Amino acid sequence: MRDMTSSSFDSRLDAYAELLVRVGVNLQPGQKLIVRADVEDAPLVRKVVDIAYSLGSPYVEVLWGDGLVSRSRFLKGPEGSFGIVPEYRAQGMIQLAQEGAASLAITSEDPDLLADVNPENVAEFQAAWRKAVRPYMELSMRDAIQWCVAGAASVGWATKAFPGVPEQEAVERLWDAIFTATRITTDDPVRRWREHNEQLRSMRERLNERRYAAVRFKGPGTDLSVGLADGHRWDGGESKTPAGTTFVANMPTEEVFTAPHRERVDGVVRASMPLSYNGTLIDDFTLTFEGGQVVKAVAGKGQKVLDSILDTDEGARRLGEVALVPASSPIAQAGILFLNTLFDENAASHVALGRGYEMTVEGAASMSEEEKRATGLNDSLTHVDFMIGSAEMDVDGVKQDGTTEPLMRQGAWVS
Amino acid sequence: MRDMTSSSFDSRLDAYAELLVRVGVNLQPGQKLIVRADVEDAPLVRKVVDIAYSLGSPYVEVLWGDGLVSRSRFLKGPEGSFGIVPEYRAQGMIQLAQEGAASLAITSEDPDLLADVNPENVAEFQAAWRKAVRPYMELSMRDAIQWCVAGAASVGWATKAFPGVPEQEAVERLWDAIFTATRITTDDPVRRWREHNEQLRSMRERLNERRYAAVRFKGPGTDLSVGLADGHRWDGGESKTPAGTTFVANMPTEEVFTAPHRERVDGVVRASMPLSYNGTLIDDFTLTFEGGQVVKAVAGKGQKVLDSILDTDEGARRLGEVALVPASSPIAQAGILFLNTLFDENAASHVALGRGYEMTVEGAASMSEEEKRATGLNDSLTHVDFMIGSAEMDVDGVKQDGTTEPLMRQGAWVS
């Protein structure tokens, strides 16, 4: 068994921190940085901060959180109190983003952390927090700032992803899986990411040329047609700010994705993996869509949480994203159910309920809210991905004239 | 060697968290709580938060920091950038305090953390931060809110307090020392604190009756007369908010203290212990006072940091506090140099440069700034205690007519 304090682990963590700062948020000289992380992520965060200052950042704001402190609140806080949110923290994020700071979020949460918590408490908090932080979210969701979400192994997460494995070993295995998924184990991670971004770029350009009206998913329990927004653009891999600075918003990322039309989704879709949402697992669930809207949602586990997502607002019952990921992706091949969307969504094709991304509709950045809505781009306070793809999934592109062509067969790209 | 995960350690940590919430800040039903702590203090913080919510607190704001992140900034951040402070964090503290929140600060910092840092960088940050957080400081320094400062063992602190002792053992020994100093090792810590507060109360009442003009310290390297502010009040042990809620501002606390007159301090004083200030040790130092002001300051180690304290503002060269602690105090008896003022100042009589406490002058709470100044109460942006007492120190009370009576001989109270 390897030692977490070994020089090999430490040098991989160094390489990972370097990748997140240089490729993930691609921090520019003189640029501030926001880091959001759990107190357990301190070893990674310290390296990130050190690299940022070495690159000449004038200020790094680390906004720490702690899963167990949150859990304590949601379990024991008094009824009606969960709408109290740290508005000044939101103000700090908004102010720094408006000043042009880049933003790195580290995710390491225990997927089961809030399993025994009343989901209404969490929903009450989430609604208030999303409202407080909305100006920040708008900047990041339209790529006005460089942002990146990446993972860090924690005891709570690792022991859920590797049930039955001793704590320390589970953490090591999860770090290994994270390092593999983010190409840290290769000889030259930065170069590998450049090549990988290039591949995703060529795939999205191919899809953009075809101008499909819809994509259609067929697999066990699923027969779903996802109409695409007018003027939709496939995106994936590297993103770009208006000033032209590139960044990688998710690490890992293996997807190409675009905007569904908010009124043109029909059929039934069965999730191919459990979904960990705000510390609760939703599993074995099927959604039925009519005219873009979820008209039925049944979960074997986590029904209340699923309902609370759908009840966020009108847009939460519609799709904001459709993404294609081959079953050959390194994350799928690892054969691990990470129980963390950042990773699991890069193991399988997926869709997301809620808000769509502006950059996935041509010209949306300069449209009014009504114009954006008219293209079919969805709006909501939430955005929740869930996985639908697998090695048994076929995907067709549906052309404007109704004819189809195969995109994926048995989860693999048709070239 | 005991195991930190043992049930005995855990139950002591429980008792400690309980003491801090129930006696330290004395959290009231329905009251919010601010907790400031280092990420390494998470095990204690989680217990504090849990107890606060169990007592019905509607909201606990944990403001985390990380010593190594700060160190990274001060070492590598660009020149001229250290005046950037998280103003929103200050705003959050101010807002919560104005709403009547109680405030608990956990100290666990490595006394040597910033030893190799340019003290000007730290001073630049401190000046900007103190300015941002001043409305909060004013509320806490005049006891308008319940507040408490308490310690937690960290690796960085423990290995400095117990040099040469293996890491894990050093942390255990420091926790033991903290638990002993805070009476957690007794059968009934809450009752013991009640008795202890009672003793401090009777001591301060005795001193208040005597209405000394000055106290005079004589010991190795020290011959200092500290004139007392007009209308001075000796304080110590339990404090009280204007609404009458009691709290214990420092845990441990063994001192009775009052306000020096800002213009009536004369002589030479030699520190009896090294002082850890913002992560740098100042050692072997002597200050000379004339008319209340430091006219000479010589340190064997940490001269630059000492100078930066004195240069904060005009008030930083004058005294804001004089405190008497017998050499028999449990902290002195432990024979440990904690290298943390919270503990070390309760092992020895001490004075503080900088701002004085309003509650140590009768009626100051309703005085104008000019009126306060006229009593001799000192004002400054800073407040830095340093230790002058020892088992070789004699202290006299100087009466209004110039006659003296012995207060302490060889560090022990004269009863």
Short mmCIF file of all heavy atoms in Angstrom, two decimals, chain A residues 32 39 42 46 49-50 53-54 56-59 61-62 64 66 68-69 72-73 76-78 81 84 86 88 92 95-96, chain B residues 32 39 42 46 49-50 53-54 56-59 61-62 64 66 68-69 72-73 76-78 81 84 86 88 92 95-96:
data_model
loop_
_atom_site.label_atom_id
_atom_site.label_comp_id
_atom_site.label_asym_id
_atom_site.label_seq_id
_atom_site.Cartn_x
_atom_site.Cartn_y
_atom_site.Cartn_z
N LYS A 32 -6.72 38.08 -10.16
CA LYS A 32 -7.12 37.51 -8.87
C LYS A 32 -7.75 36.13 -9.08
O LYS A 32 -8.17 35.79 -10.19
CB LYS A 32 -8.13 38.44 -8.18
CG LYS A 32 -7.52 39.78 -7.76
CD LYS A 32 -8.54 40.63 -7.00
CE LYS A 32 -7.96 42.01 -6.67
NZ LYS A 32 -8.94 42.86 -5.96
N VAL A 39 -12.78 22.28 3.85
CA VAL A 39 -11.59 22.32 4.71
C VAL A 39 -10.72 21.07 4.53
O VAL A 39 -9.50 21.13 4.68
CB VAL A 39 -11.94 22.50 6.22
CG1 VAL A 39 -12.64 23.83 6.44
CG2 VAL A 39 -12.79 21.36 6.74
N ALA A 42 -7.60 21.04 2.03
CA ALA A 42 -6.51 21.99 2.30
C ALA A 42 -5.18 21.63 1.60
O ALA A 42 -4.53 22.53 1.05
CB ALA A 42 -6.32 22.17 3.80
N ARG A 46 -3.71 24.56 -0.76
CA ARG A 46 -2.46 25.27 -0.45
C ARG A 46 -1.53 25.28 -1.65
O ARG A 46 -0.87 26.28 -1.93
CB ARG A 46 -1.78 24.62 0.75
CG ARG A 46 -2.54 24.87 2.04
CD ARG A 46 -2.06 23.97 3.17
NE ARG A 46 -2.87 24.18 4.37
CZ ARG A 46 -2.98 23.30 5.36
NH1 ARG A 46 -2.32 22.15 5.32
NH2 ARG A 46 -3.74 23.58 6.40
N VAL A 49 -2.93 27.79 -4.25
CA VAL A 49 -2.69 29.17 -3.83
C VAL A 49 -1.23 29.55 -4.07
O VAL A 49 -0.92 30.63 -4.59
CB VAL A 49 -3.06 29.35 -2.33
CG1 VAL A 49 -2.58 30.69 -1.81
CG2 VAL A 49 -4.57 29.20 -2.15
N ASP A 50 -0.35 28.64 -3.71
CA ASP A 50 1.08 28.90 -3.86
C ASP A 50 1.44 29.14 -5.33
O ASP A 50 2.20 30.06 -5.65
CB ASP A 50 1.86 27.71 -3.29
CG ASP A 50 3.21 28.14 -2.76
OD1 ASP A 50 3.22 28.93 -1.80
OD2 ASP A 50 4.23 27.69 -3.31
N TYR A 53 0.08 32.61 -6.54
CA TYR A 53 0.92 33.74 -6.14
C TYR A 53 2.25 33.72 -6.89
O TYR A 53 2.78 34.77 -7.27
CB TYR A 53 1.15 33.77 -4.63
CG TYR A 53 -0.03 34.31 -3.86
CD1 TYR A 53 -0.68 33.56 -2.88
CD2 TYR A 53 -0.52 35.60 -4.12
CE1 TYR A 53 -1.77 34.07 -2.18
CE2 TYR A 53 -1.60 36.11 -3.43
CZ TYR A 53 -2.23 35.34 -2.45
OH TYR A 53 -3.30 35.85 -1.77
N SER A 54 2.78 32.51 -7.14
CA SER A 54 4.04 32.43 -7.90
C SER A 54 3.86 32.98 -9.31
O SER A 54 4.80 33.49 -9.90
CB SER A 54 4.52 30.98 -7.98
OG SER A 54 4.80 30.48 -6.70
N GLY A 56 2.10 35.47 -9.98
CA GLY A 56 1.92 36.92 -9.89
C GLY A 56 0.51 37.38 -9.55
O GLY A 56 0.18 38.56 -9.69
N SER A 57 -0.34 36.47 -9.08
CA SER A 57 -1.69 36.89 -8.69
C SER A 57 -1.60 37.86 -7.51
O SER A 57 -0.86 37.63 -6.56
CB SER A 57 -2.53 35.68 -8.29
OG SER A 57 -3.80 36.12 -7.85
N PRO A 58 -2.35 38.97 -7.57
CA PRO A 58 -2.30 39.92 -6.46
C PRO A 58 -3.14 39.46 -5.26
O PRO A 58 -2.94 39.96 -4.15
CB PRO A 58 -2.88 41.20 -7.05
CG PRO A 58 -3.76 40.74 -8.16
CD PRO A 58 -3.18 39.46 -8.69
N TYR A 59 -4.07 38.52 -5.49
CA TYR A 59 -4.94 38.13 -4.38
C TYR A 59 -5.68 36.84 -4.70
O TYR A 59 -6.31 36.71 -5.75
CB TYR A 59 -5.97 39.23 -4.08
CG TYR A 59 -6.78 38.94 -2.85
CD1 TYR A 59 -6.17 38.93 -1.60
CD2 TYR A 59 -8.13 38.62 -2.93
CE1 TYR A 59 -6.89 38.63 -0.46
CE2 TYR A 59 -8.86 38.33 -1.79
CZ TYR A 59 -8.24 38.34 -0.55
OH TYR A 59 -8.95 38.04 0.57
N GLU A 61 -8.63 34.55 -2.98
CA GLU A 61 -9.64 34.45 -1.92
C GLU A 61 -10.07 32.99 -1.81
O GLU A 61 -10.69 32.46 -2.73
CB GLU A 61 -10.85 35.33 -2.26
CG GLU A 61 -12.02 35.21 -1.30
CD GLU A 61 -11.74 35.79 0.08
OE1 GLU A 61 -11.01 36.79 0.14
OE2 GLU A 61 -12.22 35.23 1.07
N VAL A 62 -9.74 32.35 -0.69
CA VAL A 62 -10.20 30.98 -0.49
C VAL A 62 -11.48 31.01 0.34
O VAL A 62 -11.47 31.49 1.47
CB VAL A 62 -9.14 30.11 0.20
CG1 VAL A 62 -9.63 28.66 0.28
CG2 VAL A 62 -7.81 30.16 -0.56
N TRP A 64 -13.73 28.79 2.18
CA TRP A 64 -13.80 27.43 2.70
C TRP A 64 -15.22 27.07 3.11
O TRP A 64 -15.97 27.93 3.56
CB TRP A 64 -12.91 27.30 3.93
CG TRP A 64 -11.46 27.57 3.76
CD1 TRP A 64 -10.80 28.72 4.04
CD2 TRP A 64 -10.46 26.66 3.27
NE1 TRP A 64 -9.46 28.58 3.77
CE2 TRP A 64 -9.22 27.33 3.30
CE3 TRP A 64 -10.50 25.33 2.83
CZ2 TRP A 64 -8.03 26.73 2.89
CZ3 TRP A 64 -9.32 24.73 2.43
CH2 TRP A 64 -8.10 25.42 2.46
N ASP A 66 -17.44 23.48 4.98
CA ASP A 66 -17.25 22.18 5.63
C ASP A 66 -18.55 21.42 5.58
O ASP A 66 -19.58 21.88 6.10
CB ASP A 66 -16.78 22.37 7.08
CG ASP A 66 -16.58 21.03 7.76
OD1 ASP A 66 -15.74 20.24 7.29
OD2 ASP A 66 -17.29 20.74 8.75
N LEU A 68 -19.58 18.82 7.13
CA LEU A 68 -20.18 18.39 8.40
C LEU A 68 -20.82 19.56 9.14
O LEU A 68 -21.80 19.38 9.87
CB LEU A 68 -19.13 17.69 9.26
CG LEU A 68 -18.69 16.34 8.66
CD1 LEU A 68 -17.46 15.80 9.37
CD2 LEU A 68 -19.83 15.33 8.72
N VAL A 69 -20.28 20.76 8.94
CA VAL A 69 -20.93 21.95 9.51
C VAL A 69 -22.29 22.17 8.83
O VAL A 69 -23.29 22.43 9.49
CB VAL A 69 -20.00 23.18 9.36
CG1 VAL A 69 -20.78 24.48 9.49
CG2 VAL A 69 -18.88 23.14 10.41
N SER A 72 -24.75 19.53 10.06
CA SER A 72 -25.20 19.86 11.40
C SER A 72 -26.35 20.86 11.34
O SER A 72 -27.37 20.72 12.01
CB SER A 72 -24.00 20.46 12.13
OG SER A 72 -24.18 20.47 13.50
N ARG A 73 -26.17 21.88 10.50
CA ARG A 73 -27.21 22.90 10.37
C ARG A 73 -28.52 22.29 9.86
O ARG A 73 -29.58 22.54 10.43
CB ARG A 73 -26.74 23.98 9.39
CG ARG A 73 -27.83 25.01 9.17
CD ARG A 73 -27.46 26.09 8.18
NE ARG A 73 -28.48 27.13 8.24
CZ ARG A 73 -28.59 28.12 7.39
NH1 ARG A 73 -27.70 28.25 6.42
NH2 ARG A 73 -29.55 29.01 7.51
N LYS A 76 -30.11 20.05 12.57
CA LYS A 76 -30.50 20.56 13.89
C LYS A 76 -30.98 22.01 13.89
O LYS A 76 -31.50 22.47 14.90
CB LYS A 76 -29.31 20.45 14.85
CG LYS A 76 -28.81 19.02 14.96
CD LYS A 76 -27.96 18.83 16.20
CE LYS A 76 -27.68 17.34 16.39
NZ LYS A 76 -26.68 17.09 17.44
N GLY A 77 -30.77 22.74 12.78
CA GLY A 77 -31.22 24.13 12.75
C GLY A 77 -32.73 24.21 12.88
O GLY A 77 -33.44 23.29 12.50
N PRO A 78 -33.22 25.32 13.44
CA PRO A 78 -34.67 25.44 13.65
C PRO A 78 -35.43 25.66 12.33
O PRO A 78 -34.90 26.24 11.39
CB PRO A 78 -34.80 26.67 14.56
CG PRO A 78 -33.53 27.43 14.39
CD PRO A 78 -32.47 26.45 13.99
N SER A 81 -35.39 28.62 9.38
CA SER A 81 -34.13 29.38 9.47
C SER A 81 -33.22 29.17 8.26
O SER A 81 -32.19 29.82 8.14
CB SER A 81 -33.36 28.96 10.73
OG SER A 81 -32.86 27.64 10.59
N ILE A 84 -31.59 31.77 5.75
CA ILE A 84 -30.48 32.65 6.13
C ILE A 84 -29.23 32.16 5.41
O ILE A 84 -28.81 31.03 5.58
CB ILE A 84 -30.22 32.61 7.66
CG1 ILE A 84 -31.49 32.96 8.44
CG2 ILE A 84 -29.08 33.56 8.03
CD1 ILE A 84 -31.35 32.78 9.96
N PRO A 86 -25.14 33.32 3.85
CA PRO A 86 -24.07 34.32 4.00
C PRO A 86 -24.01 35.22 2.76
O PRO A 86 -23.27 34.97 1.83
CB PRO A 86 -22.80 33.47 4.14
CG PRO A 86 -23.12 32.16 3.51
CD PRO A 86 -24.61 31.98 3.60
N TYR A 88 -22.82 38.15 2.38
CA TYR A 88 -21.52 38.81 2.18
C TYR A 88 -20.58 37.89 1.41
O TYR A 88 -19.76 38.37 0.63
CB TYR A 88 -20.93 39.20 3.53
CG TYR A 88 -21.43 38.32 4.65
CD1 TYR A 88 -20.74 37.19 5.00
CD2 TYR A 88 -22.66 38.60 5.28
CE1 TYR A 88 -21.23 36.35 5.99
CE2 TYR A 88 -23.14 37.76 6.26
CZ TYR A 88 -22.43 36.63 6.61
OH TYR A 88 -22.92 35.81 7.58
N GLY A 92 -18.84 38.86 -1.99
CA GLY A 92 -17.41 38.72 -2.26
C GLY A 92 -17.16 38.05 -3.60
O GLY A 92 -16.33 38.50 -4.39
N GLN A 95 -18.23 40.47 -6.39
CA GLN A 95 -17.28 41.58 -6.55
C GLN A 95 -15.99 41.13 -7.22
O GLN A 95 -15.51 41.76 -8.17
CB GLN A 95 -17.00 42.16 -5.16
CG GLN A 95 -16.15 43.43 -5.19
CD GLN A 95 -15.65 43.77 -3.79
OE1 GLN A 95 -16.39 43.68 -2.81
NE2 GLN A 95 -14.38 44.15 -3.69
N LEU A 96 -15.44 40.01 -6.76
CA LEU A 96 -14.20 39.51 -7.36
C LEU A 96 -14.41 39.14 -8.82
O LEU A 96 -13.56 39.43 -9.67
CB LEU A 96 -13.67 38.31 -6.56
CG LEU A 96 -12.98 38.67 -5.24
CD1 LEU A 96 -12.87 37.46 -4.32
CD2 LEU A 96 -11.59 39.24 -5.52
N LYS B 32 -27.60 34.05 17.02
CA LYS B 32 -26.65 33.61 16.01
C LYS B 32 -25.24 33.54 16.60
O LYS B 32 -24.97 34.12 17.65
CB LYS B 32 -26.66 34.57 14.81
CG LYS B 32 -27.98 34.56 14.04
CD LYS B 32 -27.91 35.47 12.81
CE LYS B 32 -29.27 35.53 12.10
NZ LYS B 32 -29.23 36.42 10.92
N VAL B 39 -8.68 25.93 9.37
CA VAL B 39 -9.23 24.68 8.83
C VAL B 39 -8.78 23.47 9.67
O VAL B 39 -9.50 22.48 9.76
CB VAL B 39 -8.86 24.46 7.35
CG1 VAL B 39 -9.45 25.57 6.48
CG2 VAL B 39 -7.36 24.36 7.13
N ALA B 42 -11.08 21.97 12.57
CA ALA B 42 -12.40 21.45 12.19
C ALA B 42 -13.03 20.50 13.23
O ALA B 42 -14.22 20.64 13.51
CB ALA B 42 -12.34 20.80 10.81
N ARG B 46 -16.68 21.64 14.52
CA ARG B 46 -17.90 20.87 14.23
C ARG B 46 -18.70 20.60 15.49
O ARG B 46 -19.93 20.65 15.48
CB ARG B 46 -17.52 19.55 13.54
CG ARG B 46 -17.02 19.77 12.13
CD ARG B 46 -16.33 18.53 11.57
NE ARG B 46 -15.80 18.80 10.24
CZ ARG B 46 -14.82 18.09 9.67
NH1 ARG B 46 -14.28 17.06 10.30
NH2 ARG B 46 -14.40 18.40 8.45
N VAL B 49 -20.41 23.90 16.55
CA VAL B 49 -21.55 24.20 15.68
C VAL B 49 -22.74 23.32 16.06
O VAL B 49 -23.88 23.78 16.17
CB VAL B 49 -21.16 23.99 14.20
CG1 VAL B 49 -22.39 24.04 13.30
CG2 VAL B 49 -20.13 25.04 13.77
N ASP B 50 -22.45 22.05 16.27
CA ASP B 50 -23.51 21.11 16.61
C ASP B 50 -24.21 21.50 17.90
O ASP B 50 -25.44 21.47 18.00
CB ASP B 50 -22.90 19.71 16.72
CG ASP B 50 -23.89 18.64 16.34
OD1 ASP B 50 -24.32 18.64 15.17
OD2 ASP B 50 -24.27 17.84 17.22
N TYR B 53 -26.42 24.70 17.34
CA TYR B 53 -27.72 24.40 16.72
C TYR B 53 -28.63 23.64 17.69
O TYR B 53 -29.84 23.86 17.73
CB TYR B 53 -27.55 23.64 15.41
CG TYR B 53 -27.14 24.54 14.25
CD1 TYR B 53 -25.98 24.31 13.53
CD2 TYR B 53 -27.94 25.63 13.88
CE1 TYR B 53 -25.60 25.14 12.48
CE2 TYR B 53 -27.57 26.47 12.84
CZ TYR B 53 -26.39 26.22 12.14
OH TYR B 53 -26.04 27.04 11.11
N SER B 54 -28.04 22.75 18.50
CA SER B 54 -28.85 22.01 19.47
C SER B 54 -29.47 22.96 20.49
O SER B 54 -30.54 22.69 21.01
CB SER B 54 -27.98 20.98 20.22
OG SER B 54 -27.49 20.03 19.31
N GLY B 56 -30.58 25.79 19.71
CA GLY B 56 -31.60 26.58 19.04
C GLY B 56 -31.08 27.77 18.27
O GLY B 56 -31.86 28.64 17.86
N SER B 57 -29.77 27.82 18.01
CA SER B 57 -29.25 28.94 17.22
C SER B 57 -29.82 28.87 15.80
O SER B 57 -29.86 27.81 15.21
CB SER B 57 -27.73 28.88 17.15
OG SER B 57 -27.24 29.92 16.32
N PRO B 58 -30.28 30.02 15.27
CA PRO B 58 -30.82 29.99 13.90
C PRO B 58 -29.71 29.97 12.84
O PRO B 58 -29.97 29.62 11.70
CB PRO B 58 -31.62 31.29 13.80
CG PRO B 58 -31.00 32.19 14.81
CD PRO B 58 -30.43 31.33 15.90
N TYR B 59 -28.49 30.34 13.22
CA TYR B 59 -27.45 30.41 12.19
C TYR B 59 -26.07 30.51 12.82
O TYR B 59 -25.83 31.35 13.69
CB TYR B 59 -27.67 31.63 11.28
CG TYR B 59 -26.72 31.65 10.12
CD1 TYR B 59 -26.79 30.66 9.14
CD2 TYR B 59 -25.73 32.61 10.02
CE1 TYR B 59 -25.89 30.64 8.08
CE2 TYR B 59 -24.82 32.60 8.96
CZ TYR B 59 -24.92 31.62 8.00
OH TYR B 59 -24.04 31.59 6.96
N GLU B 61 -22.22 31.10 11.56
CA GLU B 61 -21.34 31.44 10.44
C GLU B 61 -19.92 31.05 10.83
O GLU B 61 -19.34 31.64 11.74
CB GLU B 61 -21.41 32.93 10.15
CG GLU B 61 -20.44 33.43 9.09
CD GLU B 61 -20.79 32.94 7.68
OE1 GLU B 61 -21.98 32.80 7.37
OE2 GLU B 61 -19.84 32.69 6.91
N VAL B 62 -19.36 30.05 10.15
CA VAL B 62 -17.98 29.69 10.41
C VAL B 62 -17.09 30.39 9.38
O VAL B 62 -17.24 30.17 8.18
CB VAL B 62 -17.75 28.17 10.36
CG1 VAL B 62 -16.29 27.84 10.74
CG2 VAL B 62 -18.70 27.44 11.28
N TRP B 64 -13.64 30.42 8.12
CA TRP B 64 -12.42 29.61 8.18
C TRP B 64 -11.24 30.42 7.65
O TRP B 64 -11.39 31.24 6.75
CB TRP B 64 -12.56 28.38 7.30
CG TRP B 64 -13.64 27.43 7.66
CD1 TRP B 64 -14.88 27.35 7.09
CD2 TRP B 64 -13.60 26.39 8.66
NE1 TRP B 64 -15.61 26.33 7.67
CE2 TRP B 64 -14.84 25.73 8.63
CE3 TRP B 64 -12.63 25.96 9.56
CZ2 TRP B 64 -15.14 24.65 9.47
CZ3 TRP B 64 -12.93 24.90 10.39
CH2 TRP B 64 -14.17 24.25 10.36
N ASP B 66 -6.73 29.74 6.91
CA ASP B 66 -5.69 28.73 6.87
C ASP B 66 -4.33 29.42 6.94
O ASP B 66 -4.00 30.24 6.09
CB ASP B 66 -5.79 27.90 5.59
CG ASP B 66 -4.70 26.83 5.54
OD1 ASP B 66 -4.67 25.99 6.44
OD2 ASP B 66 -3.87 26.86 4.61
N LEU B 68 -1.35 28.40 6.35
CA LEU B 68 -0.41 28.18 5.26
C LEU B 68 -0.80 28.95 4.00
O LEU B 68 0.06 29.34 3.21
CB LEU B 68 -0.28 26.69 4.97
CG LEU B 68 0.41 25.93 6.12
CD1 LEU B 68 0.29 24.42 5.94
CD2 LEU B 68 1.88 26.34 6.22
N VAL B 69 -2.11 29.18 3.82
CA VAL B 69 -2.56 30.02 2.71
C VAL B 69 -2.09 31.46 2.95
O VAL B 69 -1.59 32.13 2.03
CB VAL B 69 -4.09 29.92 2.55
CG1 VAL B 69 -4.65 31.10 1.76
CG2 VAL B 69 -4.48 28.60 1.86
N SER B 72 1.68 31.69 2.37
CA SER B 72 1.94 31.68 0.93
C SER B 72 1.79 33.09 0.36
O SER B 72 2.62 33.57 -0.41
CB SER B 72 0.93 30.72 0.29
OG SER B 72 1.32 30.34 -0.97
N ARG B 73 0.71 33.75 0.75
CA ARG B 73 0.49 35.10 0.26
C ARG B 73 1.60 36.05 0.68
O ARG B 73 2.15 36.78 -0.15
CB ARG B 73 -0.85 35.63 0.79
CG ARG B 73 -1.08 37.07 0.40
CD ARG B 73 -2.37 37.66 0.91
NE ARG B 73 -2.59 38.93 0.24
CZ ARG B 73 -3.50 39.81 0.59
NH1 ARG B 73 -4.32 39.55 1.57
NH2 ARG B 73 -3.62 40.94 -0.07
N LYS B 76 4.85 35.19 -1.22
CA LYS B 76 4.94 35.22 -2.68
C LYS B 76 4.09 36.29 -3.35
O LYS B 76 4.23 36.52 -4.55
CB LYS B 76 4.56 33.85 -3.25
CG LYS B 76 5.44 32.74 -2.69
CD LYS B 76 5.37 31.49 -3.54
CE LYS B 76 6.43 30.50 -3.08
NZ LYS B 76 6.28 29.19 -3.74
N GLY B 77 3.17 36.89 -2.61
CA GLY B 77 2.31 37.91 -3.22
C GLY B 77 3.13 39.10 -3.68
O GLY B 77 4.19 39.38 -3.11
N PRO B 78 2.67 39.80 -4.71
CA PRO B 78 3.44 40.92 -5.24
C PRO B 78 3.43 42.14 -4.30
O PRO B 78 2.47 42.37 -3.58
CB PRO B 78 2.73 41.26 -6.55
CG PRO B 78 1.37 40.68 -6.44
CD PRO B 78 1.45 39.53 -5.48
N SER B 81 0.45 44.66 -2.82
CA SER B 81 -0.85 43.99 -2.93
C SER B 81 -1.45 43.64 -1.57
O SER B 81 -2.59 43.18 -1.49
CB SER B 81 -0.72 42.69 -3.74
OG SER B 81 0.03 41.73 -3.00
N ILE B 84 -4.99 44.54 0.01
CA ILE B 84 -6.25 43.93 -0.44
C ILE B 84 -6.73 43.00 0.65
O ILE B 84 -6.05 42.05 1.02
CB ILE B 84 -6.05 43.12 -1.74
CG1 ILE B 84 -5.42 43.98 -2.84
CG2 ILE B 84 -7.37 42.51 -2.20
CD1 ILE B 84 -5.05 43.18 -4.09
N PRO B 86 -10.34 40.91 2.45
CA PRO B 86 -11.71 40.48 2.16
C PRO B 86 -12.71 41.35 2.92
O PRO B 86 -13.13 41.00 4.01
CB PRO B 86 -11.73 39.02 2.61
CG PRO B 86 -10.63 38.91 3.62
CD PRO B 86 -9.61 39.95 3.29
N TYR B 88 -15.79 41.95 2.38
CA TYR B 88 -17.11 41.31 2.56
C TYR B 88 -17.09 40.42 3.81
O TYR B 88 -18.09 40.29 4.50
CB TYR B 88 -17.48 40.49 1.32
CG TYR B 88 -16.26 40.03 0.57
CD1 TYR B 88 -15.70 38.79 0.84
CD2 TYR B 88 -15.62 40.87 -0.35
CE1 TYR B 88 -14.56 38.39 0.19
CE2 TYR B 88 -14.47 40.47 -1.01
CZ TYR B 88 -13.94 39.22 -0.72
OH TYR B 88 -12.81 38.82 -1.35
N GLY B 92 -19.55 40.82 6.86
CA GLY B 92 -20.33 39.73 7.45
C GLY B 92 -20.22 39.73 8.96
O GLY B 92 -21.21 39.60 9.68
N GLN B 95 -22.09 42.80 10.31
CA GLN B 95 -23.54 42.64 10.21
C GLN B 95 -24.07 41.67 11.26
O GLN B 95 -25.06 41.95 11.95
CB GLN B 95 -23.88 42.15 8.80
CG GLN B 95 -25.37 42.11 8.50
CD GLN B 95 -25.64 41.33 7.22
OE1 GLN B 95 -24.94 41.49 6.21
NE2 GLN B 95 -26.65 40.47 7.25
N LEU B 96 -23.40 40.53 11.39
CA LEU B 96 -23.85 39.54 12.38
C LEU B 96 -23.74 40.11 13.80
O LEU B 96 -24.64 39.90 14.62
CB LEU B 96 -23.03 38.25 12.24
CG LEU B 96 -23.45 37.37 11.07
CD1 LEU B 96 -22.36 36.35 10.73
CD2 LEU B 96 -24.76 36.63 11.37
#
